[in-house]
Amino acid sequence: MAQIHALLFISDRPLHAEEVADLLGLARSNVSNSIKELLGWRLIERVPLLGDRRDHFTAEKDIWEMVTRIAAGRKAREVEPAEAALKACVARAANDPQLSNDAKERLSAMLDFVTTMSRWHDEMLSVPKPALMRLIKLGAGVTKLINWRPGKSKDAG
């Protein structure tokens, strides 16, 4: 799937599935399945070409948009179900007298972490791309913004 996505990303023109299979030396069925998956992730799209009845495909060329779609897809497929399962576990654990308070606290801490990261992801989507890029380029320098230093208490600041 990654090879097909990469080929469509670098291609200067839309390609049909047979071309993709030939260029990459892949079975047509594998190409078809991968194309369906890439369409589901909204990383590629069908493009009609005048005079050709076959489906042609092109990839999203905007890297920010591509990464945003991948992150949203991963969140929907992995993070959100994990968060829902953790909520159910925390609710059940609250009424389980056989579960230690330490175990209940660890479950609650895990749920809090997952919920916080999920909320952070959603908030970052609203940050304008140029501002987000500046923040990313700050790298470890971002710790200066929150007054954190190595050796300083993890809860301080």
Side-chain angles (χ1 to χ4, degrees), residues 78-91 111 114-115:
E78 298 169 26
V79 176
E80 290 170 2
E83 186 176 8
L86 280 167
K87 284 178 182 175
C89 287
V90 167
L111 174 59
V114 170
T115 301

Side-chain angles (χ1 to χ4, degrees), residues 14 22 24-26 29 37 39 43 55 57 61 90 93 97 103 108 111 128 130-131 135 144 147:
D22 290 343
L24 296 176
L26 299 173
S29 60
E37 189 73 16
L39 287 166
L43 296 174
D55 286 332
F57 303 93
K61 302 298 190 213
V90 167
S108 291
L111 174 59
L135 181 64
K144 293 177 185 172
N147 194 27

Side-chain angles (χ1 to χ4, degrees), residues 5 11 23 31 53 67 71-72 74-76 80 85 101 109 127 134 137 147 154:
H5 185 227
S11 180
L23 288 167
V31 170
R53 292 175 33 186
V67 170
R74 301 275 316 244
K75 183 177 182 263
E80 290 170 2
N101 285 335
V127 174
R134 285 195 309 270
K137 285 182 178 181
N147 194 27
K154 66 179 179 181

Side-chain angles (χ1 to χ4, degrees), residues 58-135:
T58 188
E60 172 62 54
K61 302 298 190 213
D62 182 299
I63 293 172
W64 277 103
E65 188 61 34
M66 181 180 10
V67 170
T68 299
R69 290 177 187 178
I70 291 169
R74 301 275 316 244
K75 183 177 182 263
R77 289 169 177 83
E78 298 169 26
V79 176
E80 290 170 2
E83 186 176 8
L86 280 167
K87 284 178 182 175
C89 287
V90 167
R92 286 185 66 191
N95 300 319
D96 188 342
Q98 294 180 328
L99 199 57
S100 72
N101 285 335
D102 285 344
K104 291 176 185 180
E105 287 175 19
R106 285 192 297 274
L107 277 173
S108 291
M110 184 182 288
L111 174 59
D112 183 55
F113 176 79
V114 170
T115 301
T116 299
M117 294 306 292
S118 179
R119 192 175 330 114
W120 177 81
H121 168 268
D122 294 342
E123 289 171 1
M124 289 301 102
L125 291 179
S126 67
V127 174
K129 291 175 189 175
L132 190 55
M133 190 57 149
R134 285 195 309 270
L135 181 64

Side-chain angles (χ1 to χ4, degrees), residues 2-54:
Q3 288 178 311
I4 294 167
H5 185 227
L7 176 62
L8 293 172
F9 179 76
I10 64 168
S11 180
D12 292 329
R13 63 180 178 79
L15 303 174
H16 57 78
E18 292 81 15
E19 282 181 292
V20 172
D22 290 343
L23 288 167
L24 296 176
L26 299 173
R28 176 67 174 86
S29 60
N30 290 344
V31 170
S32 180
N33 290 333
S34 294
I35 284 174
K36 286 178 189 170
E37 189 73 16
L38 290 165
L39 287 166
W41 282 79
R42 296 180 27 243
L43 296 174
I44 66 171
E45 64 182 354
R46 283 184 176 84
V47 178
L49 290 184
L50 192 62
D52 195 337
R53 292 175 33 186
R54 295 174 292 193

